[in-house]
Amino acid sequence: MRLLIMGPPGAGKGTHAGALASLVGGPHISTGDLFRDNIARRTELGRLAEKYISAGEYVPDEITDDMVRDRLGRPDAARSFVLDGYPRTGAQVAALDALLDARGTGVDGVVALTVPDDELVARILRRSAVSGRSDDSEDVVRHRLAVYADQTAPLVRAYGDRGLLHRVDGTGSMEEVRLRVESAVAAAAGPDA
Ligand code: ADP
């Protein structure tokens, strides 16, 4: 099964995507993690991405799409995967559709975590003490939330129009959210699964 996990910064995508990936039997592919890994290894891709990430801006589509195409082309992602943090722009949705279409497949379901903005800011600022992420300061966080609302929230609604969307309340304990996410995936898998 091919799943997307979407939601604003701090919603818990990374936390729940790992469990989801074990559930569907495919890799957890986080574009944020792939970029941070490239930055840490000082690759050319990392050098290109770094300035956007630190400013809370999206990395340009062509760079991001190429990275995702490479990753999805690896054998472990042939049948199942959980994409975390991609797509985030209309162009990325089109690129992903084209990529999967060429493989005769498509997205099977989208889990969107919802958390109120104030809670998101509080969570990220708490996390910033240990994350060491250059984009976890308050002004950059608020900018990331605005970019999300502007560019990515409409895409979540568009997946709703396709009948693929499962909105999950991302507040409460980690265990509560995990159970809600699991029911959403069971719904995405349909009655035969
Ligand atoms: P968060 O969702 O909390 O912002 P991520 O780790 O998913 O954290 O992403 C961190 C940053 O990496 C983003 O703010 C952005 O700069 C970059 N990034 C991640 N995914 C994408 C994407 N699909 N398109 C463009 N930039 C991305």
Side-chain angles (χ1 to χ4, degrees), residues 68-134:
V68 170
R69 186 177 318 106
D70 279 356
R71 182 61 190 89
L72 288 181
R74 301 221 320 243
D76 64 340
R79 289 171 53 83
S80 293
F81 54 78
V82 177
L83 263 180
D84 157 9
Y86 183 93
R88 289 192 205 216
T89 66
Q92 291 179 12
V93 171
L96 179 63
D97 282 343
L99 184 73
L100 294 180
D101 200 44
R103 291 158 58 155
T105 64
V107 171
D108 299 306
V110 178
V111 174
L113 293 171
T114 57
V115 176
D117 271 14
D118 287 348
E119 163 92 18
L120 294 170
V121 174
R123 283 186 187 183
I124 295 176
L125 295 183
R126 268 197 309 272
R127 173 178 86 184
S128 69
V130 285
S131 74
R133 277 175 53 165
S134 60

Side-chain angles (χ1 to χ4, degrees), residues 36 62 112 142 178:
R36 282 185 291 275
E62 314 76 72
R142 292 203 182 272
R178 189 180 64 76

Side-chain angles (χ1 to χ4, degrees), residues 7-10 13 30-33 35-36 52-53 56-59 64 84-88 92 127 133 135 144:
K13 297 185 295 291
S30 155
T31 43
D33 286 349
F35 284 131
R36 282 185 291 275
Y52 299 101
I53 292 181
E57 301 289 350
Y58 286 167
V59 177
T64 308
D84 157 9
Y86 183 93
R88 289 192 205 216
Q92 291 179 12
R127 173 178 86 184
R133 277 175 53 165
D135 58 349
R144 281 158 60 204

Side-chain angles (χ1 to χ4, degrees), residues 1 3 17-26 80 82 178 181-186:
M1 184 149 74
L3 293 180
L20 268 188
S22 333
L23 212 64
V24 306
S80 293
V82 177
R178 189 180 64 76
V181 167
E182 282 180 9
S183 335
V185 173

